[in-house]
């Protein structure tokens, strides 16, 4: 559901719905007109490039669309862009939801960082039926992750997903501390993390101090 092709396809479908080209959509959102060009979707060495959540948030604001509507463009089957305005299919599933402040407490995750135990809530999520097993949501509480994530934003997290340098991740330490950071570097012995909030310090941990690390695959802002 969150494949590289589907994310970019959703942007193309949103542009088509508003009778825009991808570059026209980027321009309306106040972005560089080439931001969504097909040539920008892979790096020179062939690696996939993904649109940032900030760019997508600007596109949604510029078109008056909601995150739920955008998520419907990710669904398998006929392009949602062919539907009449407002005729979006209903949400079809749910995933576990936990407040960020509660995530550090024991009993909510197994050894691999997958949801476990009692006390989870659920949140409706259109992509849930097609998402990989174990995907869950964390609700931001407080302002420690400003300006990127605000109080009430929901992070969609996929434990077990491949993690690369520059990915936004959730990390739980063996001391029970849970944080959302950007992975700067990972070696066989340690990880370096960049803080999302410039008022909070960057962090470095020995791998022996890390309980688990999982990739943030989406943020509903």
């Amino acid at each position: 559901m969150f494949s590289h092709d589907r994310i970019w396809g959703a942007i193309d479908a949103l542009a088509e719905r508003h009778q825009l080209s991808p570059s026209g959509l980027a321009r309306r959102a106040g972005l560089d007109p080439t931001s969504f060009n097909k040539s920008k979707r892979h790096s020179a060495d062939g690696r996939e490039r993904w649109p940032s959540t900030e760019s997508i948030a600007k596109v949604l604001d510029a078109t008056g669309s909601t995150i739920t509507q955008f998520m419907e463009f990710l669904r398998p089957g006929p392009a949602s862009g062919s539907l009449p305005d407002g005729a979006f299919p209903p949400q079809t599933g749910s995933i576990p939801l936990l407040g960020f402040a509660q995530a550090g407490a024991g009993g909510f995750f197994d050894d691999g960082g997958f949801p476990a135990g009692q006390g989870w809530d659920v949140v409706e999520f259109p992509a849930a039926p097609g998402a990989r097993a174990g995907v869950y949501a964390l609700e931001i509480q407080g302002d420690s992750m400003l300006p990127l994530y605000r109080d009430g934003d929901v992070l969609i997290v996929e434990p077990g997903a491949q993690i690369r340098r520059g990915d936004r991740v959730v990390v739980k330490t063996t001391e029970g501390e849970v944080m959302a950071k950007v992975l700067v570097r990972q070696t066989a012995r340690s990880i370096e993390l960049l803080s999302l909030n410039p008022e909070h310090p960057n962090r470095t941990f020995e791998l022996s101090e890390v309980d688990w690390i999982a990739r943030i695959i989406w943020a509903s802002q």
Side-chain angles (χ1 to χ4, degrees), residues 101-125:
Q102 287 74 46
F108 289 110
F109 299 94
D110 64 17
D111 292 341
F114 288 82
Q118 304 297 316
W120 288 82
D121 202 344
V122 294
V123 61
E124 292 298 320
F125 189 55

Side-chain angles (χ1 to χ4, degrees), residues 138-162:
L138 291 177
E139 184 176 1
I140 300 298
Q141 298 167 323
D143 59 3
S144 64
M145 298 179 197
L146 288 173
L148 189 57
Y149 300 133
R150 299 166 293 179
D151 183 58
D153 286 347
V154 174
L155 307 183
I156 309 301
V157 182
E158 183 180 350
Q162 183 179 5

Side-chain angles (χ1 to χ4, degrees), residues 19-204:
Q19 299 181 330
L20 296 167
S21 65
S23 60
L25 180 64
R27 189 179 297 108
R28 178 180 289 190
L31 302 170
D32 185 301
T34 66
S35 297
F36 299 152
N37 286 4
K38 294 187 184 299
S39 61
K40 293 292 188 74
R41 301 180 185 187
H42 290 84
S43 62
D45 59 5
R47 288 184 297 174
E48 296 174 343
R49 283 178 172 168
W50 295 68
S52 69
T53 53
E54 292 94 333
S55 294
I56 293 174
K58 289 181 179 180
V59 163
L60 296 181
D61 183 61
T63 59
S65 304
T66 67
I67 186 65
T68 299
Q69 290 170 341
F70 183 78
M71 295 300 292
E72 292 298 341
F73 287 121
L74 296 171
R75 292 167 61 89
S80 296
S82 63
L83 297 172
D85 283 343
F88 292 93
Q91 294 177 331
T92 56
S94 59
I95 57 176
L97 170 70
L98 189 68
F100 216 96
Q102 287 74 46
F108 289 110
F109 299 94
D110 64 17
D111 292 341
F114 288 82
Q118 304 297 316
W120 288 82
D121 202 344
V122 294
V123 61
E124 292 298 320
F125 189 55
R132 295 183 183 179
V135 169
Y136 62 91
L138 291 177
E139 184 176 1
I140 300 298
Q141 298 167 323
D143 59 3
S144 64
M145 298 179 197
L146 288 173
L148 189 57
Y149 300 133
R150 299 166 293 179
D151 183 58
D153 286 347
V154 174
L155 307 183
I156 309 301
V157 182
E158 183 180 350
Q162 183 179 5
I163 297 172
R164 300 172 180 170
R165 181 177 179 177
D167 284 346
R168 292 169 187 165
V169 296
V170 174
V171 176
K172 183 174 183 292
T173 71
T174 54
E175 297 296 319
E177 186 178 5
V178 178
M179 64 199 78
K181 303 284 186 183
V182 176
L183 180 65
V184 176
R185 185 168 180 261
Q186 180 173 357
T187 70
R189 300 182 59 184
S190 65
I191 59 171
E192 298 177 19
L193 304 170
L194 176 69
S195 178
L196 300 172
N197 187 330
E199 295 184 1
H200 289 250
N202 299 334
R203 306 289 294 273
T204 298

